[in-house]
Amino acid sequence: MSDKLYPVSADWASRAYVDDAKYKAMYEASVKAPEAFWGEHGKRIDWMKPYTRVKNTSYDPHNVSIRWFEDGTTNVSYNCVDRHLAKRGDQVAIIWEGDDPKDDAKITYRQLHAEVMKWANVLKSQGVKKGDRVTIYLPMIPEAAYAMLACTRIGAVHSIVFGGFSPDSLAGRIEDAATSVVVTADEGLRGGRKVPLKVNVDAAVDKIPGVVKSVVVVKRTGSPVAMKEGRDHYYADLAATVPDECPPEEMNAEDPLFILYTSGSTGKPKGVLHSTGGYLVYASMTHQYVFDYKDGDIYWCTADVGWVTGHSYIVYGPLANGATTLMFEGIPTYPSISRFWEVVDKHKVNTFYTAPTAIRSLMGAGEEPVKKTSRASLRLLGSVGEPINPEAWEWYHRVVGEGRCPIVDTWWQTETGGILITPLPGATALKPGSATRPFFGVQPEIVDAEGKVLEGACEGNLVISDSWPGQMRTVFGDHDRFVQTYFSTYAGKYFTGDGCRRDADGYYWITGRVDDVINVSGHRMGTAEVESALVAHPKVSEAAVVGYPHDIKGQGIYAYVTLMTGEDPTEELRKELVAWVRKEIGPIASPDLIQFSPGLPKTRSGKIMRRILRKIAEDEFGALGDTSTLADPAVVDDLISNRQNRK
Ligand code: WTA
């Protein structure tokens, strides 16, 4: 929490699309008359057949249904590519910066058009039709954008799986989406290290016999990989055999656009489904206003396309706006800890959008690696993925932005498709650590545990009371789960899963997840997923996973593990379990701390009391609260004396 206020500079208030008065007027209009507001702003994309119906949404738990622009037709790749050709065919669409600073490329809109059409025909040659799903498991190379846009061109639905996920995680996602075609690369390259993508795909496909018919392989490193006859094809070989031209398919606004799997508090990851028209309108509009994007700006979002931030703010939002978007293959610390700022200088980046975890880890190396670069081109900074603590905010503002760049702290989720709560750089006075105010059309409310709507300054759970165009439409293949997860906790409202405080100025401060989801370095992890990976190990009988505060990652993963009778809690086994979870889910799920505990605190009905486990993991065991309902209160003493996090 911070009481500091950073007013909008005169320069920003005059250059931006929106100043404070305009924000207030537009916001007011957007919530008073959503039909009229979105009816107008829906026109920012090109429609083949214009819509006549704007909003048709219901949050009634008996009938959750979300439809926007439902009788309009359009095509996403047309909007992101073709429509820019007349005016900006020779403008750079994608600046690609490789892992090695010597590797880079600039792709114009005209080149992007040719690539996307070629890719679309390659996918067609592998039997992909409108409505089919395609799994994309690629590193951060331009081909990721080509493949995404190619899917949208022919009406296929992409499901991107982050390259850091294990073969098991990949297999689960391929199977759930039932994709017969997988697009991958021989290897990825990050921080000078090779990532065995094709090897992982082979292992994943073997786990789910009969699902995958074709694997399209992009050569990234050129290392030899096993190619299975009849199933695996190098992209270049297929491309040589297909035509150059591919017209965009006419899609209904509500046709599915992509699936993206995300962790929830229970069970396996959910396939969040976004649809065509509303998503694109919302992604492009937020990109324009939040980043105040103007022609000629160089815009860089450091996310991976495997996460929603990469979908909306590397690819779809920027390209729909005819922007120049930078795509970075590498990591912030390679080959040097100044890499981000060197890339900023090299490409004269104006807008830089990253995650707090990156800022915190760079802060640790001090100011010198930043100060030795110029960063004169920077005008605006952004933050996403987790709460940014005021110290990191101040450092980002003072050291990276030299006090002259506003920071847009953007709160949103995979489910929301685009940014919901955020400052606008020409309109909003900033408070370090606050995501500030809602974007147009977004109606946040704070409710208490019983669902009572709280007024004024308050703290509770964050819900959204009405729909916006970028909202997810369903959980792929499981509409009931969609309703249960988001609309049943507080009937008639979208429940975000986040806690939130509103201050006297009406500013929102996200306090973190209130469910069993933890946020590790800006990546969402379901504690249930890590637990099921642990109990799959033959020596583990039971596991409970909670988050705890971590200086760099925001939250770390703390696992309580009960071993099978007779197994020894050795240091070796601890290492083995960490490696096991990495193998089962992926490196992002590695437990930071493992506590071997002979028993877990359970109620008499056998329910694990996570509240107690969280407190002990936080090293706050003085405040355990009532433990009298535990079946065996003595368990707690053992947990405390063997705790792994001692501040
Ligand atoms: C958290 C990432 C505080 C939040 C776009 C949310 C944030 C979850 C912020 C979604 C922010 C995201 N301030 N918390 N600016 N942005 N979060 O689906 O807990 O990967 O529910 O989407 O990240 O994570 P997801």
Side-chain angles (χ1 to χ4, degrees):
M1 204 163 129
S2 160
D3 291 317
K4 267 205 176 153
L5 193 72
Y6 289 81
V8 177
S9 67
D11 170 40
W12 262 101
S14 62
R15 99 173 273 279
Y17 289 111
V18 175
D19 61 12
D20 193 45
K22 190 160 178 207
Y23 165 77
K24 286 180 177 135
M26 281 177 79
Y27 182 75
E28 187 79 359
S30 73
V31 298
K32 272 208 173 122
E35 298 262 349
F37 183 86
W38 291 111
E40 187 54 35
H41 288 284
K43 294 184 200 150
R44 61 181 296 115
I45 67 168
D46 286 3
W47 297 85
M48 291 167 170
K49 178 165 137 319
Y51 49 85
T52 63
R53 198 147 184 208
V54 176
K55 179 175 188 285
N56 180 9
T57 65
S58 159
Y59 279 7
D60 173 355
H62 301 292
N63 172 38
V64 175
S65 159
I66 294 151
R67 309 179 69 79
W68 285 89
F69 314 113
E70 61 184 317
D71 58 349
T73 65
T74 183
N75 179 279
V76 168
S77 83
Y78 177 85
N79 274 286
C80 291
V81 187
D82 306 47
R83 71 161 168 163
H84 304 311
L85 293 177
K87 189 172 158 208
R88 51 178 101 241
D90 296 321
Q91 181 199 308
V92 174
I94 300 175
I95 299 175
W96 179 71
E97 171 75 13
D99 186 56
D100 182 326
K102 290 195 287 295
D103 275 348
D104 56 22
K106 289 185 173 158
I107 298 113
T108 65
Y109 274 95
R110 203 177 315 287
Q111 290 166 328
L112 181 62
H113 184 232
E115 295 283 1
V116 170
M117 292 198 295
K118 224 6 160 189
W119 266 88
N121 285 328
V122 163
L123 293 176
K124 277 188 181 169
S125 78
Q126 298 309 294
V128 178
K129 297 183 301 298
K130 182 171 176 172
D132 289 351
R133 275 83 51 205
V134 173
T135 295
I136 299 176
Y137 185 66
L138 281 174
M140 286 289 287
I141 53 179
E143 283 80 357
Y146 305 159
M148 292 164 81
L149 290 164
C151 285
T152 74
R153 195 161 192 91
I154 61 175
V157 181
H158 60 70
S159 163
I160 305 189
V161 179
F162 174 58
F165 276 121
S166 68
D168 264 346
S169 301
L170 175 61
R173 287 157 171 79
I174 294 174
E175 193 175 31
D176 188 81
T179 57
S180 60
V181 176
V182 176
V183 178
T184 190
D186 46 9
E187 293 173 317
L189 206 51
R190 289 187 83 234
R193 302 223 310 243
K194 292 176 170 178
V195 186
L197 296 175
K198 175 64 166 58
V199 169
N200 289 352
V201 168
D202 291 342
V205 171
D206 282 349
K207 286 175 201 285
I208 43 171
V211 179
V212 175
K213 303 282 183 290
S214 164
V215 179
V216 178
V217 183
V218 177
K219 280 192 185 166
R220 168 60 188 99
T221 63
S223 300
V225 291
M227 296 290 282
K228 191 168 172 186
E229 183 73 42
R231 186 196 71 185
D232 301 348
H233 314 273
Y234 280 112
Y235 171 78
D237 295 341
L238 296 174
T241 66
V242 300
D244 295 337
E245 307 276 324
C246 175
E249 191 80 31
E250 180 168 358
M251 303 300 290
N252 181 268
E254 282 303 328
D255 281 334
L257 177 62
F258 66 81
I259 300 169
L260 185 56
Y261 287 86
T262 191
S263 300
S265 34
T266 54
K268 54 179 187 140
K270 296 182 282 281
V272 166
L273 185 90
H274 282 285
S275 65
T276 302
Y279 171 83
L280 195 64
V281 167
Y282 198 76
S284 68
M285 182 153 170
T286 46
H287 173 262
Q288 180 190 333
Y289 285 92
V290 175
F291 301 107
D292 204 66
Y293 189 85
K294 301 246 167 68
D295 268 358
D297 284 359
I298 306 291
Y299 162 89
W300 180 16
C301 164
T302 70
D304 190 286
V305 289
W307 309 110
V308 74
T309 308
H311 285 60
S312 300
Y313 298 113
I314 294 177
V315 178
Y316 291 121
L319 295 179
N321 290 338
T324 299
T325 180
L326 194 151
M327 188 177 198
F328 176 45
E329 185 182 36
I331 59 172
T333 49
Y334 178 85
S336 88
I337 190 128
S338 299
R339 184 70 190 276
F340 270 175
W341 326 121
E342 286 161 3
V343 175
V344 165
D345 286 352
K346 176 176 172 186
H347 297 293
K348 303 280 175 288
V349 170
N350 306 116
T351 301
F352 177 76
Y353 187 33
T354 196
T357 187
I359 299 301
R360 287 191 298 263
S361 70
L362 296 175
M363 257 171 93
E367 299 183 11
E368 195 274 334
V370 188
K371 295 271 174 173
K372 72 186 225 203
T373 63
S374 152
R375 287 155 292 109
S377 57
L378 283 179
R379 203 155 42 212
L380 178 64
L381 303 172
S383 173
V384 60
E386 47 174 327
I388 182 164
N389 47 311
E391 301 70 40
W393 194 104
E394 296 282 0
W395 190 85
Y396 196 20
H397 189 257
R398 179 177 56 83
V399 181
V400 176
E402 305 205 316
R404 79 180 179 282
C405 307
I407 298 177
V408 287
D409 174 0
T410 64
W411 174 84
W412 60 296
Q413 311 178 295
T414 306
E415 294 88 335
T416 69
I419 295 163
L420 294 198
I421 301 182
T422 179
L424 298 185
T428 316
L430 307 172
K431 296 185 189 183
S434 171
T436 77
R437 305 188 293 196
F439 190 73
F440 308 129
V442 175
Q443 303 187 50
E445 284 179 350
I446 297 182
V447 296
D448 67 12
E450 280 70 51
K452 188 168 138 269
V453 177
L454 306 175
E455 303 294 337
C458 60
E459 183 162 350
N461 292 340
L462 181 64
V463 299
I464 313 288
S465 67
D466 199 0
S467 185
W468 63 98
Q471 182 167 29
M472 74 182 282
R473 301 305 197 247
T474 192
V475 171
F476 181 72
D478 197 349
H479 195 67
D480 274 353
R481 192 170 175 202
F482 178 56
V483 176
Q484 280 309 314
T485 309
Y486 303 105
F487 300 94
S488 63
T489 315
Y490 303 108
K493 297 181 197 295
Y494 169 78
F495 178 42
T496 62
D498 279 321
C500 186
R501 187 169 70 81
R502 185 172 49 217
D503 68 17
D505 296 327
Y507 275 37
Y508 291 84
W509 301 70
I510 308 297
T511 54
R513 302 287 305 195
V514 294
D515 54 8
D516 289 322
V517 170
I518 50 183
N519 196 323
V520 184
S521 302
H523 301 320
R524 254 166 93 164
M525 277 313 318
T527 52
E529 269 173 89
V530 186
E531 287 164 5
S532 56
L534 283 166
V535 295
H537 189 281
K539 293 183 181 166
V540 173
S541 106
E542 215 173 4
V545 169
V546 297
Y548 72 99
H550 187 288
D551 284 348
I552 290 179
K553 299 179 177 186
Q555 279 188 299
I557 300 181
Y558 192 117
Y560 296 88
V561 171
T562 307
L563 296 174
M564 296 287 189
T565 316
E567 296 297 346
D568 286 334
T570 60
E571 224 20 68
E572 252 168 358
L573 181 54
R574 204 190 292 273
K575 287 195 190 113
E576 188 179 320
L577 291 178
V578 171
W580 174 268
V581 175
R582 292 171 70 93
K583 180 182 78 61
E584 291 275 307
I585 304 176
I588 55 169
S590 306
D592 296 280
L593 296 171
I594 293 183
Q595 175 168 359
F596 291 116
S597 41
L600 294 172
K602 291 187 187 162
T603 61
R604 285 182 202 99
S605 59
K607 196 168 150 40
I608 295 175
M609 290 186 76
R610 290 170 178 281
R611 177 176 55 81
I612 294 178
L613 294 177
R614 274 190 216 110
K615 287 285 176 203
I616 295 173
E618 286 164 16
D619 202 18
E620 295 277 351
F621 51 88
L624 284 187
D626 184 11
T627 56
S628 63
T629 55
L630 286 177
D632 176 10
V635 167
V636 174
D637 298 332
D638 174 78
L639 287 172
I640 290 175
S641 51
N642 290 309
R643 68 192 187 282
Q644 299 292 304
N645 175 28
R646 290 166 198 255
K647 287 191 282 215

